[in-house]
Amino acid sequence: MFAISNRIRTASSMENFKKIDREYCWTDESVNVYGYRCLTSGCMVDQFEKNPIGFKMHNRDNGVVVRWEDFRVDGDKIYAKPVINLKHPDAERTIAEIESGFLNAASCGKIVVLEASNAPELMLPGQKGPTLVKWYPREISLVDIPGNHGALANLYDSDGADLDLADFVKPKTSDMSKSVLLAATVLAALNLSDSASQDEFNQAVQDLADRAAKADELQESLNTVSTELQDLKAETTRTRVQDLIDKGKTDKKLTVALAEKLAKDYAHNPDGLADLISTMPAQTLISGETPDAADLADLQGKDWDTLYQQGHLERVRTQYPDLYEQLRKTKFPESNS
């Protein structure tokens, strides 16, 4: 019984429509009669497929005549096949006009514009309006004259509100407007009113040129002074570093090897060098002889524990008593009180 009922419903539904085995191109990327065009790549066919209906000649008042199936994209063209609503009073005439070759075109209506562009690279010859780069139609009608006459002008946003092509076209400033704006900008830069005479204008321009020339001279002088200051600062730094190194050697705080190393490391930091040398004790052997440079430089870089572990602490005590005392005070600060 179920199978019989199902066949009855299927047969009944078949009586309500007739699918025409003929493809209609309903959009491509050419410039339409209104001066703008629609990119096929930006057409959201899936949105239209949710309710793929259409009218005849875009006349909504006469009811739905067609729905569309078998959508196909070929290059920049999108095709579909019409399914005619046999319950529509104009159904038989519509089918006859299709089959006899008098109703040969499909036209998009109520186009929803989600994104449009005025980019020059998207413009084609003869195109005056924008390029729709993201869009979809709400209906596609069967029409007698292709080109969407009377339909493509109907543009809407996603909320269904009317859109004007002017919404997408940037206003162009005329040459005269540009001249007026430029003149006003020049007068403001010269600190002149719009009633200034030609002589006042010429003098203001000359004053501006003189100031510009003087500014160039001042900049050149400033660059020279800046270079001289940098050279003087570098020479002062070199002199101070050398003086500190010489005094360190005179005070027997620096060996020749250590002096050379510090002169290089602190070439641009005389303040740091002064602080370091001030913490260094003078070094002399018990015999009064000048200590070995390499030996002292090696010992000065080690702390109490390291010298003890390496077996050098006793040698420091006997040969470099000042260094030994400094290390002892650092290791046992409580003994200094």
Side-chain angles (χ1 to χ4, degrees):
M1 181 64 182
F2 174 79
I4 295 175
S5 299
N6 186 54
R7 286 197 300 271
I8 293 173
R9 285 196 296 270
T10 302
S12 176
S13 61
M14 289 290 289
E15 294 174 358
N16 294 332
F17 64 85
K18 178 178 180 178
K19 184 173 182 178
I20 308 296
D21 189 21
R22 176 181 177 184
E23 286 188 322
Y24 281 74
C25 174
W26 50 271
T27 186
D28 59 24
E29 296 186 347
S30 61
V31 180
N32 60 51
V33 294
Y34 293 96
Y36 68 94
R37 70 190 189 102
C38 307
L39 292 186
T40 298
S41 60
C43 180
M44 303 174 67
V45 179
D46 58 329
Q47 287 293 326
F48 177 63
E49 285 184 302
K50 294 177 181 178
N51 186 32
I53 62 167
F55 311 116
K56 190 174 181 180
M57 312 301 292
H58 299 289
N59 189 345
R60 184 181 183 184
D61 292 339
N62 284 344
V64 177
V65 178
V66 60
R67 74 168 185 268
W68 298 90
E69 296 181 354
D70 299 342
F71 292 88
R72 182 176 68 89
V73 179
D74 185 4
D76 71 337
K77 302 180 185 299
I78 303 180
Y79 296 89
K81 292 182 179 181
V83 179
I84 305 302
N85 176 15
L86 297 180
K87 295 297 185 181
H88 193 280
D90 201 22
E92 291 185 7
R93 178 180 176 181
T94 300
I95 293 172
E97 289 174 342
I98 291 174
E99 294 179 342
S100 60
F102 288 98
L103 201 58
N104 298 317
S107 173
C108 298
K110 291 191 176 296
I111 292 178
V112 177
V113 182
L114 301 179
E115 187 176 346
S117 173
N118 289 309
E121 61 269 19
L122 296 178
M123 303 287 282
L124 294 181
Q127 182 175 347
K128 296 180 176 59
T131 301
L132 306 191
V133 297
K134 192 173 183 181
W135 63 281
Y136 65 91
R138 290 199 182 278
E139 63 94 2
I140 299 175
S141 287
L142 289 166
V143 295
D144 51 3
I145 301 176
N148 289 329
H149 290 267
L152 276 175
N154 298 329
L155 301 180
Y156 301 83
D157 63 17
S158 58
D159 296 323
D162 289 344
L163 290 178
D164 194 309
L165 285 176
D167 295 336
F168 298 104
V169 180
K170 297 180 180 178
K172 297 182 179 179
T173 304
S174 66
D175 292 339
M176 181 176 291
S177 298
K178 290 181 180 178
S179 299
V180 171
L181 292 173
L182 179 60
T185 302
V186 171
L187 290 174
L190 296 176
N191 198 26
L192 294 174
S193 68
D194 56 4
S195 61
S197 66
Q198 185 64 46
D199 289 341
E200 290 175 327
F201 178 81
N202 293 341
Q203 185 60 50
V205 172
Q206 185 59 52
D207 291 344
L208 182 62
D210 293 342
R211 288 199 300 272
K214 189 174 182 180
D216 291 339
E217 295 175 1
L218 290 174
Q219 184 62 51
E220 184 176 351
S221 299
L222 180 61
N223 292 339
T224 301
V225 171
S226 178
T227 300
E228 292 175 350
L229 287 174
Q230 291 177 1
D231 293 343
L232 178 60
K233 181 179 179 181
E235 181 60 31
T236 301
T237 299
R238 284 194 296 269
T239 300
R240 188 180 175 202
V241 168
Q242 188 59 49
D243 289 345
L244 288 169
I245 292 295
D246 292 342
K247 188 175 186 305
K249 291 194 291 187
T250 300
D251 294 341
K252 297 183 179 181
K253 292 185 175 184
L254 302 177
T255 64
V256 174
L258 183 58
E260 291 178 355
K261 184 177 186 306
L262 293 180
K264 183 183 296 185
D265 293 344
Y266 289 85
H268 304 291
N269 186 14
D271 291 337
L273 179 60
D275 292 340
L276 175 64
I277 293 178
S278 68
T279 63
M280 299 172 65
Q283 299 297 324
T284 56
L285 296 174
I286 293 178
S287 62
E289 299 176 354
T290 303
D292 179 78
D295 183 46
L296 180 58
D298 180 61
L299 295 174
Q300 282 180 324
K302 300 175 181 178
D303 59 17
W304 177 282
D305 292 337
T306 301
L307 291 170
Y308 177 78
Q309 293 171 2
Q310 295 178 349
H312 297 317
L313 193 57
E314 180 60 22
R315 182 159 63 87
V316 172
R317 186 184 69 79
T318 58
Q319 295 183 8
Y320 308 107
D322 290 341
L323 177 58
Y324 178 85
E325 185 62 19
Q326 182 185 8
L327 292 169
R328 186 191 65 79
K329 289 180 179 180
T330 302
K331 176 65 177 177
F332 307 105
E334 66 277 1
S335 65
N336 300 329
S337 57

